[in-house]
Amino acid sequence: MMANYINWGEPINAIPEELASSELAALLRACEAHAHFDIVDLRLIQAPVPHIGVVADVGDGTVAPQNSPGIWPRERLCLSFCPGLMVPAEVRALRTDFPDVIHLNGVPDGEPASLCLYESWGFEERQWTAERHLRKVLWWLASTADGTIHAQDQALEQLFYSSGDVVVLPSDWDGEKKERLYLNLADESAERRYWLAGTKATDNAPRWQLAVLDLPPIGHQPIQRSPSTLGALDDQLTALGSDLSPALSEALKSLSRLADQKTACKLQLLLLLRIPRLRSGKIDRWDARAYVVAAPWEDVGIELGVLGRSDPNAKAYAIDLLAGAVAALSEKGRDFKLAPLEVLQTPPMMQARAMSGIEAGTADFRGTLAGVGSLGGALANLWARSQWGRWNLIDPDQVAPHNVVRHEAGASDIGLKKVDVIRRRMDTVFARPISAKAVYASASDFDNSEVDSCLRESTLLVDASTTLSVPRDWSERDLCRSASVFFTHSGLASVLMLEDEPRRMRLSALEAQYYRALLHEPWGQNHLHTSEEIRVGAGCRDHSFVLSHELVQLHAAQLSRALRQGVLEPDARIEIRTHHEESGAVSVVSIAVRAVRSLDGTPWKVRWDEGLEDQMLAMRAECLPVETGGVLLGITDHKLRTVTIVDAREAPLDSVTHPDSFTRGRAGVSELIERASSLTRGMVGYIGEWHSHPRGVPAVPSALDKELLATLESRLRGDGLPAIMAIVAENEVNVFVGGGEIAGTDDTAAPTEHT
């Protein structure tokens, strides 16, 4: 097969220093080492920002020749890692005739197809390695080729790529009203522009005539690029088995009969397409898409042949077509330009929320609240009403239509920045502005001067962002005392983690101790259970959880009170509150916080705590005089290069134990690791091994121990992971990383506290 390739970027011989990064270097090394990635060259690519692409011919023999989707056994791909993009790790298919398959990202016309590999980069970046990335690419090619990439229980792909701008219809719009709509732009400076549709207009708001088109159904199709002309839209829908012209003809004739003012005919046409989506022959859902036509609706009707004028100055009127005739756009009509808009609709208005007073403890301090979503917004409201602290607000999100179900925001706030909405709410509590900042950014963006100012001037930081990034990144910085609060996806439990005043036990360490308790205690077995999901848009990421606003308010009040009481004491705390549906009671579990140990003299920072040491020492004592051991479970953060040991498990039943040796068995280990991952929603996994030494033998590696560590290092290197081994002896625990570094509890290698 002969292939033609898109000339994507400029060939270069070496990576310029200003575009180099550790991730790009790792990607290049991984491609060089991989048997199924043959590097062709390096490319300097200018768009969307200057970055480097690694061009390679890729194929591992798992793609069948002449498969129906049209994936070749070896494809030429351009792999890049461009920091700053929404998904930095991108893969482009350079073949000019690469097929339009499902699970591609939208790209501008003329650019190579972009493989859709990751749903949530905020989650993936914590586990991303170049080696795993290459495996993901090979999986994508094979799964696309054999038709298994889209699971049967996965939602249908949206029909068109996202266009950026969104038209939001009123919550009471039933799809049948054909009245004029005014579109008000919420925030022109925001990354995504929302046009709020209504029957009232702000000054200079555009007025468009709405035409609703109910189209024939369409099955599961690859995502389509948005057409730029009315004719292209007609052709595209026809190719998908649908039809635009009949519905458009009827809509325009109906508008002509309803219009009673000459000026109404001059309004631009706004097409709202409603399309049934089929799965297995049945309607799975309805998709909606809007297009602004760059012409008055009357002109479109004339070019379609369903409207006409008796003279050039007369109002258009409907022309009844002959029975069986099909109206078709003229060449001029086909050239009418289109501007695409995504369509969302505000959920029905919430009932007024009942207010409940709290016994406030007032303190004059500066605080920063990161994340003002449903929980953060409710906390800010409580603290504003109780005047507890003066709060800076940091959040990188806008208010989306579905947020109003559980957020302090209302329908009129859709498209605005959440920090601005909550700041305004706080200002209006007592009809006077609060002396605090509202920063539209991530609270872990330390290069942002506004973020840095908020964090540095505060005496208390509270993370309600529900992200991994903020609490972990704060833990690595010299900041003030910090807390993390969140509720679980089921809405039945909430968690408070609060550092001690000197910050010897930071949030990342408290996270590990929380997970260990979750793995061992009865309350943890369903603690992170996920509730039913509900779709709030057409995209694969557009989903939310079924969670009542009552539970948000319940947990916000509980967490606010617990935090206000907790900061009066100097000690760290971890508390889990569980709401019991039948009785309405809330039970509280407090986890004893243990001092943290740290090993920082290696490429990876390794942390654990005294509770873990006590656990291993107890298992050793119980098994004496023979040795024992088992697997280590922990958290690996590739972005921060940290490994936190969470748990040490007892020896499997098929282990071989002797007074001077131990061979760990395999019985039940895979199930144990999988269960730990499941209970912690993928946060805790296998990181290495531990074993004990007999009486009189120090916790230093024997020759066999060194061989074990070398084997671990070789096995885990394929996933870009470090090898961790712990040795437990009489009253001492030593930790080894990749065979090189040691930390322990003896005088010669004393552990360090995490500061």
Side-chain angles (χ1 to χ4, degrees):
M1 293 180 291
M2 295 295 294
N4 294 318
Y5 300 112
I6 297 174
N7 189 21
W8 183 236
E10 175 187 349
I12 58 175
N13 295 323
I15 298 174
E17 183 177 351
E18 65 273 15
L19 297 180
S21 68
S22 58
E23 294 87 355
L24 178 61
L27 183 61
L28 182 57
R29 288 195 303 270
C31 289
E32 291 172 339
H34 203 292
H36 304 301
F37 284 72
D38 295 332
I39 295 178
V40 176
D41 60 14
L42 299 176
R43 297 292 181 99
L44 173 60
I45 303 165
Q46 297 295 337
V49 295
H51 63 285
I52 301 302
V54 180
V55 177
D57 289 330
V58 179
D60 62 358
T62 60
V63 173
Q66 300 181 348
N67 54 83
S68 57
I71 303 297
W72 285 10
R74 287 183 69 79
E75 291 283 0
R76 180 161 294 183
L77 307 178
C78 180
L79 299 88
S80 60
F81 194 98
C82 185
L85 296 185
M86 184 177 295
V87 180
E90 187 180 38
V91 178
R92 298 290 191 109
L94 298 183
R95 181 157 55 94
T96 56
D97 58 347
F98 192 82
D100 285 330
V101 294
I102 59 176
H103 290 275
L104 291 175
N105 298 312
V107 297
D109 289 341
E111 289 192 5
S114 173
L115 279 56
C116 182
L117 297 171
Y118 301 110
E119 273 196 30
S120 173
W121 181 252
F123 173 82
E124 295 289 350
E125 71 171 330
R126 301 288 165 170
Q127 306 181 68
W128 188 90
T129 66
E131 294 80 5
R132 287 178 174 176
H133 183 58
L134 299 191
R135 286 206 300 270
K136 186 85 169 179
V137 171
L138 291 171
W139 168 85
W140 190 98
L141 293 171
S143 300
T144 300
D146 65 19
T148 61
I149 193 169
H150 199 91
Q152 287 297 316
D153 60 351
Q154 188 174 352
L156 295 175
E157 290 273 25
Q158 63 196 59
L159 196 55
F160 296 100
Y161 286 115
S162 297
S163 61
D165 283 9
V166 180
V167 58
V168 182
L169 299 173
S171 59
D172 60 352
W173 190 79
D174 60 8
E176 297 300 325
K177 300 177 183 178
K178 307 297 191 295
E179 76 270 14
R180 214 166 302 158
L181 285 181
Y182 299 93
L183 298 183
N184 302 311
L185 182 58
D187 188 342
E188 190 171 6
S189 67
E191 181 179 354
R192 196 178 195 194
R193 299 193 304 173
Y194 283 83
W195 296 88
L196 309 184
T199 56
K200 296 181 180 180
T202 58
D203 293 341
N204 300 319
R207 292 180 293 173
W208 296 340
Q209 178 61 58
L210 178 67
V212 180
L213 278 61
D214 288 324
L215 299 182
I218 295 176
H220 199 185
Q221 298 285 345
I223 305 178
Q224 309 292 309
R225 289 184 172 88
S226 289
S228 58
T229 65
L230 194 58
L233 175 61
D234 190 20
D235 294 341
Q236 195 173 56
L237 290 172
T238 300
L240 294 173
S242 189
D243 198 350
L244 176 70
S245 296
L248 180 56
S249 299
E250 289 302 317
L252 292 174
K253 287 193 289 185
S254 177
L255 288 178
S256 178
R257 296 186 185 105
L258 293 174
D260 58 359
Q261 297 179 6
K262 181 178 291 188
T263 56
C265 300
K266 301 303 180 184
L267 295 177
Q268 275 191 276
L269 180 63
L270 174 62
L271 297 179
L272 176 60
L273 279 55
R274 301 197 304 174
I275 307 170
R277 302 297 309 281
L278 298 179
R279 186 198 292 269
S280 302
K282 297 181 180 179
I283 295 178
D284 182 77
R285 69 166 190 257
W286 287 73
D287 283 356
R289 184 75 163 187
Y291 293 94
V292 178
V293 184
W297 66 267
E298 183 186 41
D299 292 355
V300 177
I302 290 173
E303 296 302 329
L304 187 62
V306 299
L307 301 180
R309 293 191 185 101
S310 57
D311 63 71
N313 296 319
K315 174 190 164 193
Y317 57 90
I319 299 174
D320 290 329
L321 297 173
L322 296 174
V326 178
L329 283 167
S330 66
E331 287 302 316
K332 180 180 177 182
R334 290 179 58 83
D335 289 339
F336 285 138
K337 298 295 185 183
L338 296 182
L341 292 170
E342 292 185 46
V343 178
L344 296 175
Q345 188 172 4
T346 306
M349 290 292 294
M350 292 283 295
Q351 292 184 350
R353 295 189 291 267
M355 295 176 55
S356 59
I358 66 168
E359 184 180 349
T362 305
D364 186 18
F365 66 91
R366 172 70 70 188
T368 290
L369 173 62
V372 288
S374 55
L375 175 59
L379 290 173
N381 178 49
L382 289 171
W383 296 339
R385 294 182 183 281
S386 64
Q387 297 191 37
W388 185 65
R390 292 170 287 116
W391 292 93
N392 299 321
L393 308 176
I394 306 177
D395 193 290
D397 292 332
Q398 297 167 247
V399 177
H402 71 279
N403 289 148
V404 302
V405 176
R406 295 192 293 263
H407 198 270
E408 298 293 317
S412 62
D413 300 314
I414 293 171
L416 300 181
K417 303 176 183 70
K418 287 183 178 178
V419 285
D420 292 338
V421 172
I422 297 303
R423 167 67 183 272
R424 187 172 69 247
R425 293 288 194 275
M426 297 176 77
D427 285 347
T428 59
V429 170
F430 295 106
R432 61 177 181 267
I434 59 173
S435 57
K437 301 181 179 73
V439 182
Y440 181 57
S442 167
S444 58
D445 183 6
F446 303 112
D447 293 330
N448 185 309
S449 59
E450 291 183 287
V451 171
D452 184 70
S453 175
C454 289
L455 300 180
R456 297 295 175 187
E457 71 184 9
S458 299
T459 57
L460 178 65
L461 305 179
V462 179
D463 166 52
S465 66
T466 70
T467 67
L468 297 174
S469 306
V470 173
R472 290 189 188 176
D473 291 346
W474 281 359
S475 297
E476 302 302 312
R477 293 277 174 154
D478 184 18
L479 301 171
C480 64
R481 190 180 191 183
S482 304
S484 179
V485 292
F486 60 92
F487 48 71
T488 59
H489 286 146
S490 68
L492 298 180
S494 61
V495 178
L496 165 66
M497 300 182 196
L498 175 64
E499 297 175 347
D500 59 313
E501 278 188 351
R503 299 194 77 209
R504 294 190 181 95
M505 281 77 80
R506 299 194 178 181
L507 291 178
S508 58
L510 301 182
E511 178 190 9
Q513 297 187 42
Y514 157 69
Y515 283 138
R516 183 166 67 245
L518 183 154
L519 293 174
H520 286 272
E521 298 298 331
W523 58 264
Q525 304 312 296
N526 294 307
H527 176 66
L528 294 181
H529 169 72
T530 302
S531 67
E532 179 185 356
E533 292 186 358
I534 185 169
R535 298 199 63 79
V536 295
C540 55
R541 301 177 181 90
D542 293 333
H543 55 75
S544 186
F545 293 96
V546 174
L547 174 64
S548 76
H549 190 57
E550 300 163 332
L551 289 174
V552 174
Q553 294 296 314
L554 170 69
H555 291 307
Q558 293 278 339
L559 289 167
S560 174
R561 189 175 186 85
L563 179 61
R564 289 190 296 105
Q565 293 173 339
V567 296
L568 299 176
E569 303 294 333
D571 300 324
R573 63 174 59 186
I574 305 172
E575 294 178 350
I576 293 89
R577 286 170 168 77
T578 303
H579 171 68
H580 302 276
E581 287 278 56
E582 293 184 2
S583 65
V586 176
S587 60
V588 183
V589 173
S590 295
I591 299 172
V593 178
R594 304 299 301 276
V596 178
R597 307 299 191 191
S598 176
L599 174 61
D600 295 328
T602 72
W604 289 81
K605 299 176 183 178
V606 183
R607 282 87 180 257
W608 67 100
D609 62 82
E610 288 181 348
L612 178 78
E613 292 183 350
D614 289 348
Q615 182 183 2
M616 291 188 289
L617 288 167
M619 286 187 285
R620 172 188 178 273
E622 185 177 355
C623 292
L624 286 173
V626 299
E627 293 187 9
T628 189
V631 298
L632 291 174
L633 303 175
I635 304 167
T636 304
D637 191 316
H638 290 271
K639 184 176 182 180
L640 296 176
R641 305 290 288 180
T642 60
V643 178
T644 308
I645 308 175
V646 170
D647 198 15
R649 288 308 179 106
E650 61 274 11
L653 295 178
D654 60 338
S655 300
V656 179
T657 63
H658 293 286
D660 57 355
S661 66
F662 169 76
T663 302
R664 195 259 292 164
R666 297 186 177 183
V669 171
S670 296
E671 293 80 0
L672 181 152
I673 295 171
E674 176 61 31
R675 180 165 176 77
S677 177
S678 175
L679 290 177
T680 61
R681 294 184 59 81
M683 291 297 102
V684 174
Y686 173 85
I687 60 170
E689 304 280 335
W690 76 276
H691 66 276
S692 68
H693 279 181
R695 294 187 179 97
V697 179
V700 296
S702 65
L704 288 176
D705 294 337
K706 293 177 181 178
E707 292 180 9
L708 170 62
L709 188 54
T711 300
L712 285 175
E713 186 179 15
S714 175
R715 187 172 69 189
L716 295 178
R717 188 186 303 124
D719 283 333
L721 296 170
I724 307 296
M725 183 173 70
I727 300 178
V728 185
E730 197 77 27
N731 298 320
E732 65 172 339
V733 176
N734 282 346
V735 173
F736 301 80
V737 184
E741 300 292 332
I742 302 175
T745 56
D746 61 342
D747 293 336
T748 60
T752 59
E753 290 188 338
H754 180 23
T755 59

